[in-house]
Amino acid sequence: MLYQIYSRFIWLTYFSVLFYKSLSNGYAAQTEKIRELAPTHSNESRKSTNHLWVEDRGPVWGFYAHQQINRLAVFTLPAEMMPFFKKHIQFLTDNAVNPDKRRYAVVGEAPRHFIDLDAYPDTSSTTLPRFYKQATERYGEDSLALHGLVPWQIQLTKYHLTEAFKQRNIRRILRVAADLGHYIADANVPLHTTRNYNGQLTNQQGIHGFWESRLPELFSAEYDFLTGQAEYVYSPQKAAWRAVFNANAALDSVLRFEEQLTTEVSESRKFGFEERNGVTTKVYSSAFSQQYHERLSGQIERQMRASVKMVGDFWYTCWVDAGQPDLRSLAKYDLTEQERKEDDDEKKSWLKRLFSVRSED
C-alpha cells in the first residue's frame, strides 16, 4: 500500500512538470524535460480493473519517439493532403503524446495502449475475435480491458478520423489524427504485447523505458525513415492485428539479448549517471546501450519505420474513405484563439484529475 502511494506520487509529480512545461514551451523544450524526467519504471503492480487504473505502465514508445513518428508520417502523404498536414505538423507532433497524458486521468484510456497476447490461451481469430463486439461477447468488456485494447482502439479511432474528414471538422481531424498516430505506434512496440511489459516477470525491470525511450533518443538520428508514399489500407482491421503480431514476434529478442548482455557485464558497466539541467539521473550506460542496440540488429529502427508508414497509410485511408475532401481549402483555416485556449484548458483538466482519482481498492 505504501509503495502504491509513493509510486502514484512520483507519477503525479512527473506529469505535473511535464504538463506545465508542454503548455508553456515549445517542442524542443518539452523534449528536453521529458529526457530529464523519464522514469526507468520500478516494479509495477497490476491495478484493479476499474477502467481507470488497469496498468501502471508508464509512457509508451517514449514521448520523443511518439512525436517523431507523427511528424515523419506527414511526409508520406500525397500532394492533395500535404498542404493541410504540413501546415499543422507542429500540432500533430506536439499532440502525439496526448493519449499518454490522458492515461492516468481519463476513465478507460489506459487499456487502449497495449494488448497482452499471452493472456489468451489461443490468439487465432476463432478464439480471439478481431472485431470488438465479437470479442466482448466471448470475454466480456472487463476482461478485454484488463488485457488491453490497442488493435480494437486503432479500428475505432480510424472510424472517428474518417467521420471527422467527412464533416470537414478541422479541429477534430487534427486531434483524432494525432491520437490515431499514437495508438498505431503503440501497436508496434513488442513490450506492449505481453504481460511481461517491463521485464518484471523475468527480473529485467526497466527494459520497457530502455527499449522505447533511451535507445530511440540515443540512436534514432542514424535511422533511415524514407518509407515511401502512403498507401491505401484495404483492411484496417487486419493491418492493426498484423502490426501487433509482428511486434510480438520481436519480443523474444528484446528480452533474450538484454538478459544475455547483462550476464556479460558488471552492474557498474550496465548503468551510469547523467546530469541534465542540473538533475543527476541513473540511466543505462552508453556502452551497454550501444551493445544492446547492435544485438537487436536494427529492430527499433524497423519498428519505428513500420509505425511511420502505418500512420501515414491510415491517415490517407481515412481521407479516401471520407470521399477525399478538399484539404487545400481547409489548410487556409487557422485555429482560433478560443479553440487553442479550449485545448490548453482540456490538458490542464487532465492534470487536475490526476490529483482527484480514487484510491486503490
Side-chain angles (χ1 to χ4, degrees):
M1 185 63 175
L2 289 176
Y3 168 76
Q4 291 179 346
I5 295 172
Y6 174 74
S7 177
R8 180 169 296 177
F9 172 76
I10 294 298
W11 274 107
L12 294 181
T13 303
Y14 165 61
F15 276 98
S16 299
V17 175
L18 179 61
F19 267 107
Y20 284 114
K21 189 72 174 179
S22 64
L23 289 172
S24 60
N25 295 320
Y27 166 69
Q30 181 186 16
T31 300
E32 184 58 35
K33 179 57 69 176
I34 291 165
R35 291 175 175 175
E36 172 190 332
L37 296 178
T40 55
H41 307 296
S42 58
N43 187 24
E44 299 150 317
S45 60
R46 291 204 170 236
K47 306 297 182 180
S48 60
T49 175
N50 59 16
H51 297 288
L52 178 60
W53 295 98
V54 176
E55 297 283 355
D56 189 11
R57 290 174 177 248
V60 288
W61 251 131
F63 283 8
Y64 171 78
H66 265 303
Q67 292 175 320
Q68 290 302 306
I69 288 166
N70 266 18
R71 188 179 193 89
L72 291 164
V74 171
F75 297 98
T76 70
L77 300 175
E80 296 87 348
M81 299 180 69
M82 186 62 74
F84 176 81
F85 276 80
K86 186 68 180 298
K87 178 176 180 177
H88 297 289
I89 192 171
Q90 198 60 47
F91 181 97
L92 293 164
T93 300
D94 293 341
N95 290 276
V97 301
N98 282 354
D100 275 343
K101 292 180 177 181
R102 295 194 301 260
R103 63 189 290 122
Y104 296 100
V106 176
V107 173
E109 178 62 44
R112 299 170 184 168
H113 299 251
F114 65 93
I115 182 168
D116 295 335
L117 292 178
D118 49 8
Y120 299 94
D122 182 4
T123 55
S124 66
S125 58
T126 54
T127 302
L128 183 55
R130 302 303 190 247
F131 291 100
Y132 183 73
K133 184 176 184 299
Q134 297 170 354
T136 56
E137 291 172 353
R138 183 178 294 272
Y139 291 103
E141 291 186 6
D142 285 350
S143 180
L144 291 182
L146 177 63
H147 299 303
L149 305 170
V150 69
W152 296 296
Q153 183 61 34
I154 290 173
Q155 298 172 48
L156 178 61
T157 311
K158 186 272 173 190
Y159 168 78
H160 287 321
L161 181 56
T162 301
E163 291 302 303
F165 275 124
K166 287 180 180 179
Q167 297 164 8
R168 299 166 63 87
N169 185 327
I170 295 172
R171 186 182 180 194
R172 183 151 180 78
I173 290 171
L174 294 173
R175 288 156 62 100
V176 180
D179 282 0
L180 180 57
H182 185 104
Y183 296 128
I184 286 174
D186 285 353
N188 283 281
V189 178
L191 288 164
H192 277 273
T193 65
T194 175
R195 289 175 292 181
N196 192 24
Y197 53 88
N198 193 32
Q200 76 279 8
L201 303 180
T202 51
N203 196 31
Q204 295 173 281
Q205 286 92 344
I207 193 172
H208 193 156
F210 182 36
W211 191 96
E212 69 182 11
S213 296
R214 176 72 168 161
L215 296 182
E217 289 179 7
L218 287 174
F219 304 110
S220 64
E222 306 168 7
Y223 295 167
D224 176 9
F225 288 115
L226 295 177
T227 63
Q229 192 172 42
E231 300 171 291
Y232 185 80
V233 180
Y234 287 93
S235 179
Q237 173 245 358
K238 289 182 180 179
W241 282 100
R242 185 165 55 248
V244 165
F245 284 116
N246 286 344
N248 185 255
L251 179 63
D252 177 67
S253 297
V254 172
L255 297 169
R256 178 163 47 87
F257 290 149
E258 195 276 345
E259 182 181 33
Q260 291 174 351
L261 189 57
T262 296
T263 63
E264 298 171 14
V265 303
S266 64
E267 183 79 3
S268 61
R269 291 179 58 201
K270 181 175 180 178
F271 295 103
F273 293 90
E274 291 185 0
E275 185 171 326
R276 296 174 179 179
N277 293 341
V279 177
T280 301
T281 306
K282 183 179 180 180
V283 296
Y284 287 84
S285 70
S286 296
F288 187 89
S289 300
Q290 179 72 46
Q291 293 178 65
Y292 180 58
H293 190 258
E294 290 174 357
R295 294 194 185 194
L296 290 174
S297 300
Q299 182 191 86
I300 296 177
E301 179 179 4
R302 288 193 297 273
Q303 294 308 111
M304 286 190 72
R305 282 174 56 90
S307 298
V308 170
K309 182 64 164 61
M310 189 174 171
V311 172
D313 289 349
F314 267 68
W315 286 348
Y316 172 63
T317 300
C318 292
W319 174 71
V320 172
D321 288 350
Q324 302 182 35
D326 182 9
L327 296 185
R328 289 188 176 89
S329 62
L330 296 186
K332 299 176 183 178
Y333 179 85
D334 287 309
L335 294 176
T336 66
E337 285 302 316
Q338 179 61 29
E339 289 173 330
R340 296 179 190 278
K341 182 179 183 301
E342 289 174 359
D343 284 343
D344 287 347
D345 289 344
E346 181 179 14
K347 293 174 185 177
K348 290 176 182 177
S349 75
W350 301 337
L351 178 61
K352 291 178 181 178
R353 276 177 252 173
L354 284 173
F355 291 95
S356 60
V357 293
R358 69 184 185 185
S359 60
E360 298 302 327
D361 296 331

